[in-house]
Every structure is written in structure tokens, then in C-alpha cells.
Amino acid sequence: MSMRDEEQIQLLHPEGKQGARILKRRYEAIRKAILDEVEASGEISFLDLTERAPKRLSHFDGKTTWYITAVKLDLEARGELERFERNGRQQIRRT
């Protein structure tokens, strides 16, 4: 099966902007890595998330920071994550 034939998912954006369409397998891998890091920390800064989450991914064929950002925004739009600010830094936690 080619990438063109693989199932894709439409990403949502918390501000209602048009999100990208990405391969569902990539979405699931990034989603799991993000949620695992948030669960392990309770809450985590976005900077720490972009440093730690890629370590949970094996053989990922893409720009991990872009995918982490896009899927994090999708999870916010779906109500799974909440973004807030502390000391001028973006923090993330489960809702």
C-alpha cells in the first residue's frame, strides 16, 4: 500500500483554522507520545514536550516538531489537552 492509499485524518485547530491532513498512523504515534509525556509529568511545558516526545517515537519518518505542534493543537481542539501559561511559558495538561 502506498502512502497515497493509506488512511488519513483531518487535524482540527482550537481557533477553527483549517488543519492539515496527515497519515492516521503518524497521528496515532504522535498522539500517544504526547499523551504519554503529559501523563508522566502531570503538566509539561511545550518546550519540554518537543524535546521528550520524539524519544518515544521509533523510526518516525517526518519532522517531529511540526507533527508534535500540529497534533497538540488537534488534541486541544478535541478537548483532550488544555494549554495555559505559567511564568511566560506555554504549559500543557490533560483536561
Side-chain angles (χ1 to χ4, degrees):
M1 181 186 313
S2 72
M3 275 198 232
R4 180 174 288 165
D5 298 329
E6 284 188 64
E7 187 176 356
Q8 296 192 355
I9 187 166
Q10 177 68 54
L11 298 181
L12 303 178
H13 191 284
E15 296 173 3
K17 297 177 184 177
Q18 178 70 35
R21 289 181 59 82
I22 65 171
L23 293 176
K24 187 171 182 180
R25 67 179 166 84
R26 287 183 178 160
Y27 176 83
E28 293 298 336
I30 293 290
R31 180 182 179 275
K32 182 173 179 359
I34 290 171
L35 295 179
D36 286 351
E37 278 302 324
V38 172
E39 289 291 328
S41 303
E43 56 187 50
I44 188 170
S45 74
F46 179 67
L47 181 61
D48 287 343
L49 179 67
T50 59
E51 290 175 1
R52 294 181 193 166
K55 295 174 185 165
R56 292 183 178 266
L57 301 167
S58 60
H59 301 32
F60 189 79
D61 58 341
K63 302 262 185 200
T64 55
T65 302
W66 183 89
Y67 280 97
I68 289 167
T69 302
V71 173
K72 177 196 74 77
L73 289 168
D74 176 82
L75 294 173
E76 288 175 23
R78 294 178 193 273
E80 291 188 59
L81 291 179
E82 174 183 31
R83 176 187 354 168
F84 63 101
E85 192 171 310
R86 178 178 295 133
N87 300 326
R89 295 180 74 188
Q90 184 185 135
Q91 302 287 316
I92 302 147
R93 63 182 164 217
R94 291 293 303 253
T95 52

